[in-house]
Amino acid sequence: MILLNNSYVKLIIVYLLGVLTVLGFAPFYLYPVPVVTLAVLLGYCHNSLSPIKNAALGFCFGMGLFSAGVTWIYVSLHDFGAMPMATAIVALIILCAYLSLFPALGLGLLTKLRLTSSLLWAALAAALWIMFEWLRGTLFTGFPWLLMGYSQAPFSPLAGFAPIIGVYGISMIVVFSAALLFFWIDKGIRQWRFGLPLILIWFGGYGLQAIHWVQPQGEPVTVSLLQGNIAQDMKWREDHLENTMQTYARLILESDSRLIVTPEISIPLFSNVVPKSYLSYLAEHARSNNGDVLIGLAERAAHDDNEYYNTMFSFGSAPEQSYRKHHLVPFGEFIPLKPIFGWVIDVLQIPLSDFSRGSLDQQPMNLAGQRVAINICYEDVFGEEIINQLPQATMLVNVSNDAWFGRSIGPQQHLQISQMRALETGRYMLRATNTGVTAIIDERGRVLQTIEIFTTAALHGLAQGFTGATPYVRMGNYPVLGLAGLLLCIGLLSAFHAARKNR
């Protein structure tokens, strides 16, 4: 106990707890782990009256979580972005430190309020955690990776809450569960005021999984999701272009599915320079299947050669349609504050690193008898934006190039994020990626089919369209953020009255 009360030892332990928390996420899916690690963290915080010390604990926990959980960023920067090793390491440390500020601020503010009610403390801990998670996912275009709620998709009983309150709501429940677990153990197993709500929440989530929020529409449609496995360091080389085009042409022509999907910018050319005969040939094949093919291309704006988009084009039985990526990746697809950070373009050897944004109000495509909502790569991280195309859409399609992540845990984490989007919306999610993970995910977030990563292959299967709207589709994050705000107001009033009494 003497060691555990040492501040420096606590910081080390909490850092290791953050590292351990990564086991809750894909590819490990050990969903109880974050509840336990957070219970220990919150226990340390509850037993300390120092906002500064608890903010330090939150910071160290975050550093452990992110330094272990987003190592794929180093791969993107160094291995494929050609950033020098030392610079890439420093950049990763700075990013992890920035991300760690959010749990630090939440736990520091929680301690500052000095609440005496254990249940209110637990509820406010959960509220502040998700408020700062939401800020992390919003500020500077947002980085909502490794939200605690993702750790519960799709196997945890708490996944039953996803169609109602989304990933932030599940994050809130995870932290509240962790706080209840700490108090239940700390104050004695007979303290059922902590144990009973904990049990009811988890069994309640299990019961919610039996509710069908949406309804199937028509018969399943045949789909083919193509994985070209084009090496990232070869993709943009002119001497490799013909091989890339032949690879995707072969995979398309071998498919008899009604909906064929290629990955993000699968053909590394601008749409206006792709041979028309090539696209016409593929479109004719799609029409022979009584369906359509989605092909990823770069698109130049008609009025300005310096303005271009990351676009998915459809060809086949339906009229030609397109979707332009809206939510771009900072420093990967656009350079924020160019006068300050313009030099990054010279350091990172990333082709087409200054895309323009597509409109936020783009509607689903009419393809193969379905209403298909497209999202490109990083866009599926933002559930509040995905629902802009719902409930009109009958299924979701995510196209990505996770080759940037290399052989890291990044592609599996991205898959889990797509699983959460399927749970929230009650829609199939079809993922076509360059190197993996290419998968068919059902409306319950379960991976029905997948193919081995880093292989050239097509995933052939069936996808069911759905109609109807989950509560999350109708209301988004507003109810959860509203509840968090209400709890914060209650906490502030409680702290204010307590301060007046002590005067």
Side-chain angles (χ1 to χ4, degrees), residues 81-131:
M83 181 177 282
M85 179 185 293
T87 308
I89 292 173
V90 170
L92 180 60
I93 292 172
I94 292 173
L95 175 63
C96 292
Y98 163 72
L99 299 175
S100 300
L101 289 175
F102 294 94
L105 291 171
L107 293 178
L109 179 56
L110 175 66
T111 310
K112 188 74 173 176
L113 294 176
R114 299 186 185 280
L115 302 174
T116 55
S117 167
S118 297
L119 283 175
L120 180 58
W121 190 94
L124 195 56
L128 286 171
W129 189 280
I130 70 108
M131 290 179 77

Side-chain angles (χ1 to χ4, degrees), residues 80 227-237 240-248 250-251 263-268 401-404 433-436 454-456:
F80 300 117
Q227 182 174 290
N229 192 34
I230 309 300
Q232 188 58 39
D233 54 357
M234 302 292 289
K235 179 173 180 176
W236 294 94
R237 285 176 46 171
H240 200 264
L241 176 61
E242 184 177 352
N243 177 67
T244 298
M245 296 178 70
Q246 288 177 352
T247 296
Y248 280 108
R250 174 177 59 82
L251 292 173
E264 171 189 21
I265 309 188
S266 51
I267 309 299
N401 179 24
D402 288 350
W404 286 103
T433 69
N434 177 21
T435 56
F454 293 100
T455 59
T456 302

Side-chain angles (χ1 to χ4, degrees), residues 329-341:
V329 180
F331 301 107
E333 293 178 314
F334 81 101
I335 304 299
L337 302 174
K338 280 187 185 179
I340 300 174
F341 295 112

Side-chain angles (χ1 to χ4, degrees), residues 15-78:
Y15 174 85
L16 294 176
L17 287 171
V19 172
L20 191 62
T21 303
V22 176
L23 295 176
F25 298 86
F28 312 104
Y29 291 102
L30 300 177
Y31 62 83
V33 171
V35 178
V36 175
T37 57
L38 283 169
V40 179
L41 171 66
L42 293 174
Y44 278 142
C45 292
H46 185 263
N47 292 331
S48 170
L49 297 178
S50 169
I52 299 297
K53 288 183 178 179
N54 284 351
L57 290 174
F59 183 84
C60 286
F61 182 88
M63 286 297 291
L65 172 66
F66 297 114
S67 64
V70 298
T71 50
W72 49 266
I73 292 178
Y74 171 83
V75 178
S76 300
L77 295 176
H78 174 65

